[in-house]
Each structure stands twice: as structure tokens, then as C-alpha cells.
Amino acid sequence: MPIVEKSLVEVERTETLEVDGIDVSGDWNTFLKSRVSSDLDARILDWVKGEPQGETISRCWQCGTCTAGCCMHTDYGLTDFNPRYFIYLAQIGYEEELRKYATTIWRCVSCNKCVERCPKGVKVEEVVHRIGSYLTATGAAPESPADRFDRAYTKNLLRRGVLDEAELFREYERLEGRKTPTRELLRMAWTLLKSGRLHTGPLAHRTRGWSRMRSVLEAQLAEDDRAHAPRSRGPPAGGPR
Ligand code: SF4
Ligand code: SF4
């Protein structure tokens, strides 16, 4: 049977040759490229299963109902966003392929249609987010604007226990490398002042006894970071990569 998938054919040598008047030109040492990936990592699955509701990933039988009803995939035509495929890649530990979707995976809008429709009770929305978190935590996904905002928000709130909107805005602009025109800044400041939400500088509020609470929260955040670091969960089940 002829091999029709040319991309899988590896030709080492092509020669024009005549032997005893017979043209025997052609490809020599022709092989099929290996389609077997040995770069699989069971840590992804272990990590997702260790997260709240992540253990439901094991129930998935790859029927595709979630993808067929997913609003991002179907209604918005984002064909790269395929929850069934993300789950499949996590199940087999194909991190290299999964990394290609490290940004796309965050396009989930948490509508939960997939969860409603899954015949196996997989918490698809949670599982997809857990896979995304794994990719972020392992450095496969670039930090998103939402991540940077979260970082700025947490830092801001930890400072005094009350949000300083103006300071948060400045910090977020710095992280994003943006600069809002002065005129627009003044307009926003006036709006905040009128609504009584400009708690900055001398107008800043403080929470009594906050320093004690802050150290508790900081310790908890550090603990969460450690718990959510995928690589801290020991070596992959299948041995080193
Ligand atoms: S609907 Fe459920 S069982 Fe089917 S592919 Fe999606 S997660 Fe898996
Ligand atoms: S929750 Fe996310 S994955 Fe599920 S259907 Fe909605 S957008 Fe798709």
C-alpha cells in the first residue's frame, strides 16, 4: 500500500541512477518519522487531580459534548479553544502540545454549559482552569493582564487593609507600561472624589490593627503559593523526563 501522508516520510537520499540501461532513480533509505512521543509527564494529571474538583478529570471519556456546546468554541468560533482536547492532553501528560494553548485556555468565560452537559459529571470549567493554572505556574503561559491586575490588587490591599484605588491604578499602569493622559486622569480623579471613593494620600483610610492581620494573610498567601506550585509535588510518576 503506498504511503500517502508525505509529511511523515523521511527521505535520506534521492538519486538518479541507471543500471544496465534500466532507470532505477528514486528515493533511498526512506523511513517513516516516529509518531511516538516519549515526552509525556504524569505530573500534570497528578496536579489537576489534587486540586478542588480536579479529580473529576479521570471520569472523562472524550465524548466531546463539552466542546460541542462550549460558547467560546461554537458561538464565538474560537476553534483552538477545545476543552475536550485540553483534558485529553492533560490526561496523557502531553505538556509540550498543551503549552501551545497556554494563553487560549484562559478564554473560558465560566458559563458552565460544559458542566451542565457533561454526561460523566466532569467539572469541566474547573478542570480547564486548573490545567491553565498549571501552565501558568510552570512558566508555560505568559502572565496575563488579569494576573498582573490581581498582583497589583493584592499588594495594594495588603498595605493598609483598604483599597487605594488611585494607587492601584498607578501601579497597574506601571505594570502594563501604559500612561493615561493627564486630562483623563483628572477626570477620573474628580469622579472618584465626588463619589467619595478617592482614598489616597491624606484621604487614605486605615484599618486598625492591620499589621497583625497583614502578617497572617501574608503567611497564608505564601502557603498558598507553595501549595499551588506544581513542581513541588514530587517527581513525575513515570520517572524523570
Ligand atoms: S463532555 Fe465530559 S466526558 Fe465528554 S469530553 Fe467533555 S469532559 Fe469529557
Ligand atoms: S465554562 Fe468555559 S469551557 Fe465550559 S462551556 Fe463555558 S467557556 Fe466553554
Side-chain angles (χ1 to χ4, degrees):
M1 182 187 282
I3 296 164
V4 290
E5 181 48 71
K6 290 206 167 67
S7 68
L8 296 174
V9 177
E10 200 167 53
V11 178
E12 190 176 279
R13 201 173 83 228
T14 301
E15 273 188 19
T16 306
L17 192 65
E18 194 176 306
V19 178
D20 293 337
I22 300 169
D23 183 7
V24 290
S25 303
D27 297 332
W28 295 84
N29 286 358
T30 304
F31 298 100
L32 280 186
K33 287 181 189 165
S34 172
R35 281 184 287 170
V36 178
S37 175
S38 55
D39 193 22
L40 303 179
D41 189 344
R43 278 179 294 197
I44 310 170
L45 186 59
D46 288 346
W47 192 77
V48 172
K49 281 161 73 176
E51 293 290 295
Q53 301 187 325
E55 76 285 356
T56 61
I57 190 175
S58 305
R59 299 183 203 157
C60 175
W61 61 6
Q62 290 291 301
C63 66
T65 308
C66 52
T67 299
C70 171
C71 60
M72 293 312 291
H73 183 87
T74 309
D75 302 335
Y76 290 97
L78 189 63
T79 49
D80 267 5
F81 186 89
N82 185 335
R84 179 205 61 77
Y85 189 48
F86 300 152
I87 290 174
Y88 169 71
L89 294 175
Q91 281 179 329
I92 64 169
Y94 197 174
E95 184 172 340
E96 185 190 346
E97 175 71 3
L98 208 43
R99 280 170 180 255
K100 295 179 189 164
Y101 304 95
T103 305
T104 309
I105 202 167
W106 290 109
R107 301 294 293 273
C108 170
V109 290
S110 299
C111 65
N112 273 290
K113 275 166 74 181
C114 50
V115 180
E116 291 295 321
R117 294 179 179 195
C118 174
K120 295 284 285 174
V122 179
K123 300 296 180 196
V124 189
E125 184 261 356
E126 280 293 334
V127 167
V128 165
H129 280 91
R130 298 287 75 84
I131 298 170
S133 303
Y134 179 92
L135 294 171
T136 303
T138 53
E143 196 180 37
S144 69
D147 295 331
R148 285 191 284 276
F149 183 80
D150 277 355
R151 200 147 52 86
Y153 188 97
T154 307
K155 185 176 157 193
N156 187 294
L157 202 58
L158 279 176
R159 199 172 301 139
R160 285 192 296 264
V162 183
L163 203 61
D164 179 334
E165 286 93 347
E167 183 58 39
L168 174 61
F169 186 81
R170 276 195 295 271
E171 174 73 4
Y172 185 59
E173 285 228 304
R174 192 186 63 75
L175 291 174
E176 290 297 308
R178 274 192 335 216
K179 195 155 172 41
T180 302
T182 311
R183 193 186 167 93
E184 178 65 8
L185 277 178
L186 288 172
R187 190 192 64 75
M188 285 194 290
W190 177 241
T191 308
L192 281 173
L193 192 62
K194 274 198 305 182
S195 64
R197 299 211 323 267
L198 193 62
H199 307 137
T200 194
L203 299 174
H205 290 170
R206 277 177 174 69
T207 304
R208 192 173 297 165
W210 179 246
S211 56
R212 273 184 292 137
M213 178 58 90
R214 182 172 50 212
S215 49
V216 172
L217 288 176
E218 282 172 341
Q220 183 60 50
L221 286 171
E223 179 60 36
D224 283 354
D225 282 348
R226 274 194 296 278
H228 287 83
R231 297 306 186 212
S232 70
R233 295 213 176 149
R241 301 176 74 186

mmCIF file of all heavy atoms in Angstrom, residues 160 162-167 170 189-207:
data_model
loop_
_atom_site.group_PDB
_atom_site.id
_atom_site.type_symbol
_atom_site.label_atom_id
_atom_site.label_comp_id
_atom_site.label_asym_id
_atom_site.label_seq_id
_atom_site.Cartn_x
_atom_site.Cartn_y
_atom_site.Cartn_z
ATOM 1 N N ARG A 160 -2.705 48.537 53.591
ATOM 2 C CA ARG A 160 -3.432 49.165 54.708
ATOM 3 C C ARG A 160 -4.731 48.458 55.062
ATOM 4 O O ARG A 160 -5.446 48.881 55.957
ATOM 5 C CB ARG A 160 -3.756 50.627 54.362
ATOM 6 C CG ARG A 160 -2.566 51.543 54.450
ATOM 7 C CD ARG A 160 -2.991 52.996 54.391
ATOM 8 N NE ARG A 160 -3.604 53.297 53.123
ATOM 9 C CZ ARG A 160 -2.953 53.835 52.088
ATOM 10 N NH1 ARG A 160 -1.685 54.141 52.212
ATOM 11 N NH2 ARG A 160 -3.560 54.068 50.957
ATOM 12 N N VAL A 162 -7.301 48.470 53.224
ATOM 13 C CA VAL A 162 -8.359 49.164 52.486
ATOM 14 C C VAL A 162 -7.789 49.508 51.124
ATOM 15 O O VAL A 162 -6.620 49.898 51.019
ATOM 16 C CB VAL A 162 -8.782 50.476 53.190
ATOM 17 C CG1 VAL A 162 -9.926 51.145 52.437
ATOM 18 C CG2 VAL A 162 -9.198 50.209 54.613
ATOM 19 N N LEU A 163 -8.616 49.325 50.120
ATOM 20 C CA LEU A 163 -8.116 49.570 48.772
ATOM 21 C C LEU A 163 -7.879 51.058 48.512
ATOM 22 O O LEU A 163 -8.704 51.890 48.857
ATOM 23 C CB LEU A 163 -9.149 49.032 47.767
ATOM 24 C CG LEU A 163 -8.630 48.679 46.383
ATOM 25 C CD1 LEU A 163 -7.570 47.584 46.483
ATOM 26 C CD2 LEU A 163 -9.787 48.229 45.502
ATOM 27 N N ASP A 164 -6.733 51.343 47.920
ATOM 28 C CA ASP A 164 -6.433 52.707 47.496
ATOM 29 C C ASP A 164 -6.543 52.702 45.966
ATOM 30 O O ASP A 164 -5.609 52.303 45.258
ATOM 31 C CB ASP A 164 -5.000 53.051 47.953
ATOM 32 C CG ASP A 164 -4.584 54.460 47.545
ATOM 33 O OD1 ASP A 164 -5.127 54.972 46.552
ATOM 34 O OD2 ASP A 164 -3.698 55.027 48.218
ATOM 35 N N GLU A 165 -7.724 53.116 45.453
ATOM 36 C CA GLU A 165 -8.000 52.986 44.015
ATOM 37 C C GLU A 165 -6.981 53.735 43.157
ATOM 38 O O GLU A 165 -6.536 53.242 42.124
ATOM 39 C CB GLU A 165 -9.409 53.502 43.672
ATOM 40 C CG GLU A 165 -10.526 52.598 44.092
ATOM 41 C CD GLU A 165 -11.053 52.960 45.463
ATOM 42 O OE1 GLU A 165 -10.388 53.741 46.175
ATOM 43 O OE2 GLU A 165 -12.121 52.435 45.844
ATOM 44 N N ALA A 166 -6.614 54.949 43.604
ATOM 45 C CA ALA A 166 -5.686 55.754 42.807
ATOM 46 C C ALA A 166 -4.316 55.078 42.732
ATOM 47 O O ALA A 166 -3.692 54.993 41.668
ATOM 48 C CB ALA A 166 -5.562 57.151 43.407
ATOM 49 N N GLU A 167 -3.860 54.559 43.875
ATOM 50 C CA GLU A 167 -2.576 53.877 43.918
ATOM 51 C C GLU A 167 -2.612 52.602 43.061
ATOM 52 O O GLU A 167 -1.657 52.285 42.336
ATOM 53 C CB GLU A 167 -2.237 53.535 45.383
ATOM 54 C CG GLU A 167 -0.898 52.881 45.611
ATOM 55 C CD GLU A 167 0.258 53.725 45.101
ATOM 56 O OE1 GLU A 167 0.204 54.959 45.261
ATOM 57 O OE2 GLU A 167 1.188 53.145 44.510
ATOM 58 N N ARG A 170 -2.303 53.538 39.451
ATOM 59 C CA ARG A 170 -0.920 53.903 39.095
ATOM 60 C C ARG A 170 -0.046 52.647 38.953
ATOM 61 O O ARG A 170 0.732 52.515 38.015
ATOM 62 C CB ARG A 170 -0.319 54.826 40.162
ATOM 63 C CG ARG A 170 -0.677 56.294 39.962
ATOM 64 C CD ARG A 170 0.219 57.193 40.803
ATOM 65 N NE ARG A 170 0.019 56.987 42.226
ATOM 66 C CZ ARG A 170 -0.885 57.643 42.956
ATOM 67 N NH1 ARG A 170 -1.666 58.543 42.380
ATOM 68 N NH2 ARG A 170 -1.027 57.423 44.240
ATOM 69 N N ALA A 189 -10.126 61.256 38.590
ATOM 70 C CA ALA A 189 -9.927 61.649 39.991
ATOM 71 C C ALA A 189 -11.133 62.451 40.492
ATOM 72 O O ALA A 189 -11.616 62.244 41.619
ATOM 73 C CB ALA A 189 -8.649 62.476 40.124
ATOM 74 N N TRP A 190 -11.642 63.339 39.666
ATOM 75 C CA TRP A 190 -12.793 64.158 40.060
ATOM 76 C C TRP A 190 -14.027 63.279 40.281
ATOM 77 O O TRP A 190 -14.776 63.443 41.249
ATOM 78 C CB TRP A 190 -13.042 65.217 38.979
ATOM 79 C CG TRP A 190 -14.244 66.080 39.207
ATOM 80 C CD1 TRP A 190 -15.345 66.211 38.413
ATOM 81 C CD2 TRP A 190 -14.489 66.923 40.345
ATOM 82 N NE1 TRP A 190 -16.245 67.066 38.956
ATOM 83 C CE2 TRP A 190 -15.749 67.525 40.156
ATOM 84 C CE3 TRP A 190 -13.757 67.225 41.503
ATOM 85 C CZ2 TRP A 190 -16.303 68.409 41.071
ATOM 86 C CZ3 TRP A 190 -14.313 68.115 42.422
ATOM 87 C CH2 TRP A 190 -15.563 68.688 42.202
ATOM 88 N N THR A 191 -14.213 62.295 39.388
ATOM 89 C CA THR A 191 -15.350 61.377 39.516
ATOM 90 C C THR A 191 -15.251 60.576 40.821
ATOM 91 O O THR A 191 -16.231 60.417 41.560
ATOM 92 C CB THR A 191 -15.400 60.395 38.315
ATOM 93 O OG1 THR A 191 -15.340 61.149 37.120
ATOM 94 C CG2 THR A 191 -16.653 59.557 38.315
ATOM 95 N N LEU A 192 -14.034 60.101 41.127
ATOM 96 C CA LEU A 192 -13.835 59.318 42.357
ATOM 97 C C LEU A 192 -14.055 60.184 43.591
ATOM 98 O O LEU A 192 -14.671 59.768 44.578
ATOM 99 C CB LEU A 192 -12.406 58.739 42.395
ATOM 100 C CG LEU A 192 -12.138 57.483 41.562
ATOM 101 C CD1 LEU A 192 -10.657 57.154 41.568
ATOM 102 C CD2 LEU A 192 -12.924 56.291 42.103
ATOM 103 N N LEU A 193 -13.548 61.432 43.513
ATOM 104 C CA LEU A 193 -13.680 62.347 44.650
ATOM 105 C C LEU A 193 -15.155 62.623 44.933
ATOM 106 O O LEU A 193 -15.609 62.577 46.088
ATOM 107 C CB LEU A 193 -12.935 63.645 44.336
ATOM 108 C CG LEU A 193 -12.721 64.607 45.493
ATOM 109 C CD1 LEU A 193 -11.868 63.961 46.577
ATOM 110 C CD2 LEU A 193 -12.043 65.885 45.012
ATOM 111 N N LYS A 194 -15.907 62.864 43.866
ATOM 112 C CA LYS A 194 -17.330 63.159 44.033
ATOM 113 C C LYS A 194 -18.090 61.973 44.617
ATOM 114 O O LYS A 194 -19.034 62.138 45.383
ATOM 115 C CB LYS A 194 -17.944 63.517 42.663
ATOM 116 C CG LYS A 194 -17.784 64.985 42.305
ATOM 117 C CD LYS A 194 -18.733 65.402 41.203
ATOM 118 C CE LYS A 194 -18.589 64.530 39.974
ATOM 119 N NZ LYS A 194 -19.440 64.910 38.875
ATOM 120 N N SER A 195 -17.667 60.757 44.229
ATOM 121 C CA SER A 195 -18.382 59.563 44.717
ATOM 122 C C SER A 195 -17.857 59.117 46.082
ATOM 123 O O SER A 195 -18.282 58.100 46.620
ATOM 124 C CB SER A 195 -18.255 58.423 43.709
ATOM 125 O OG SER A 195 -16.891 58.044 43.595
ATOM 126 N N GLY A 196 -16.869 59.877 46.620
ATOM 127 C CA GLY A 196 -16.335 59.553 47.953
ATOM 128 C C GLY A 196 -15.457 58.322 47.958
ATOM 129 O O GLY A 196 -15.310 57.663 48.982
ATOM 130 N N ARG A 197 -14.856 57.974 46.798
ATOM 131 C CA ARG A 197 -14.030 56.762 46.742
ATOM 132 C C ARG A 197 -12.560 57.067 46.490
ATOM 133 O O ARG A 197 -11.783 56.174 46.152
ATOM 134 C CB ARG A 197 -14.553 55.810 45.660
ATOM 135 C CG ARG A 197 -15.975 55.353 45.910
ATOM 136 C CD ARG A 197 -16.268 53.950 45.396
ATOM 137 N NE ARG A 197 -15.608 53.623 44.154
ATOM 138 C CZ ARG A 197 -16.142 53.788 42.938
ATOM 139 N NH1 ARG A 197 -17.338 54.303 42.828
ATOM 140 N NH2 ARG A 197 -15.491 53.433 41.876
ATOM 141 N N LEU A 198 -12.165 58.310 46.653
ATOM 142 C CA LEU A 198 -10.762 58.652 46.438
ATOM 143 C C LEU A 198 -10.014 58.567 47.773
ATOM 144 O O LEU A 198 -9.777 59.565 48.456
ATOM 145 C CB LEU A 198 -10.632 60.053 45.830
ATOM 146 C CG LEU A 198 -9.235 60.379 45.291
ATOM 147 C CD1 LEU A 198 -8.849 59.432 44.166
ATOM 148 C CD2 LEU A 198 -9.160 61.813 44.793
ATOM 149 N N HIS A 199 -9.671 57.329 48.147
ATOM 150 C CA HIS A 199 -8.979 57.103 49.420
ATOM 151 C C HIS A 199 -7.490 56.989 49.160
ATOM 152 O O HIS A 199 -6.929 55.902 49.147
ATOM 153 C CB HIS A 199 -9.489 55.813 50.076
ATOM 154 C CG HIS A 199 -10.974 55.796 50.214
ATOM 155 N ND1 HIS A 199 -11.740 54.681 49.939
ATOM 156 C CD2 HIS A 199 -11.845 56.765 50.583
ATOM 157 C CE1 HIS A 199 -13.013 54.959 50.131
ATOM 158 N NE2 HIS A 199 -13.103 56.216 50.529
ATOM 159 N N THR A 200 -6.862 58.125 48.961
ATOM 160 C CA THR A 200 -5.426 58.086 48.674
ATOM 161 C C THR A 200 -4.747 59.260 49.366
ATOM 162 O O THR A 200 -5.422 60.225 49.767
ATOM 163 C CB THR A 200 -5.191 58.123 47.147
ATOM 164 O OG1 THR A 200 -3.833 57.760 46.878
ATOM 165 C CG2 THR A 200 -5.477 59.494 46.540
ATOM 166 N N GLY A 201 -3.421 59.180 49.489
ATOM 167 C CA GLY A 201 -2.673 60.264 50.136
ATOM 168 C C GLY A 201 -3.262 60.569 51.502
ATOM 169 O O GLY A 201 -3.518 59.660 52.300
ATOM 170 N N PRO A 202 -3.514 61.864 51.801
ATOM 171 C CA PRO A 202 -4.055 62.219 53.127
ATOM 172 C C PRO A 202 -5.486 61.716 53.325
ATOM 173 O O PRO A 202 -5.963 61.632 54.455
ATOM 174 C CB PRO A 202 -4.019 63.754 53.109
ATOM 175 C CG PRO A 202 -3.863 64.156 51.684
ATOM 176 C CD PRO A 202 -3.227 63.023 50.959
ATOM 177 N N LEU A 203 -6.164 61.342 52.250
ATOM 178 C CA LEU A 203 -7.543 60.850 52.380
ATOM 179 C C LEU A 203 -7.596 59.338 52.611
ATOM 180 O O LEU A 203 -8.670 58.755 52.728
ATOM 181 C CB LEU A 203 -8.333 61.164 51.098
ATOM 182 C CG LEU A 203 -8.492 62.639 50.723
ATOM 183 C CD1 LEU A 203 -9.155 62.765 49.356
ATOM 184 C CD2 LEU A 203 -9.330 63.350 51.772
ATOM 185 N N ALA A 204 -6.416 58.720 52.644
ATOM 186 C CA ALA A 204 -6.383 57.255 52.724
ATOM 187 C C ALA A 204 -6.954 56.749 54.047
ATOM 188 O O ALA A 204 -6.680 57.317 55.107
ATOM 189 C CB ALA A 204 -4.943 56.779 52.562
ATOM 190 N N HIS A 205 -7.742 55.704 53.968
ATOM 191 C CA HIS A 205 -8.258 55.050 55.178
ATOM 192 C C HIS A 205 -7.229 54.053 55.697
ATOM 193 O O HIS A 205 -6.356 53.609 54.970
ATOM 194 C CB HIS A 205 -9.545 54.288 54.848
ATOM 195 C CG HIS A 205 -10.692 55.182 54.547
ATOM 196 N ND1 HIS A 205 -11.881 54.740 54.034
ATOM 197 C CD2 HIS A 205 -10.829 56.522 54.682
ATOM 198 C CE1 HIS A 205 -12.703 55.749 53.866
ATOM 199 N NE2 HIS A 205 -12.085 56.847 54.249
ATOM 200 N N ARG A 206 -7.390 53.707 56.954
ATOM 201 C CA ARG A 206 -6.526 52.682 57.530
ATOM 202 C C ARG A 206 -7.381 51.728 58.338
ATOM 203 O O ARG A 206 -8.435 52.120 58.858
ATOM 204 C CB ARG A 206 -5.464 53.307 58.445
ATOM 205 C CG ARG A 206 -4.277 53.819 57.669
ATOM 206 C CD ARG A 206 -3.240 54.507 58.514
ATOM 207 N NE ARG A 206 -2.077 54.849 57.719
ATOM 208 C CZ ARG A 206 -2.038 55.767 56.767
ATOM 209 N NH1 ARG A 206 -3.135 56.452 56.476
ATOM 210 N NH2 ARG A 206 -0.941 56.001 56.096
ATOM 211 N N THR A 207 -6.949 50.487 58.448
ATOM 212 C CA THR A 207 -7.675 49.520 59.263
ATOM 213 C C THR A 207 -6.915 49.333 60.573
ATOM 214 O O THR A 207 -5.711 49.040 60.540
ATOM 215 C CB THR A 207 -7.785 48.168 58.522
ATOM 216 O OG1 THR A 207 -8.401 48.402 57.258
ATOM 217 C CG2 THR A 207 -8.612 47.170 59.308
#
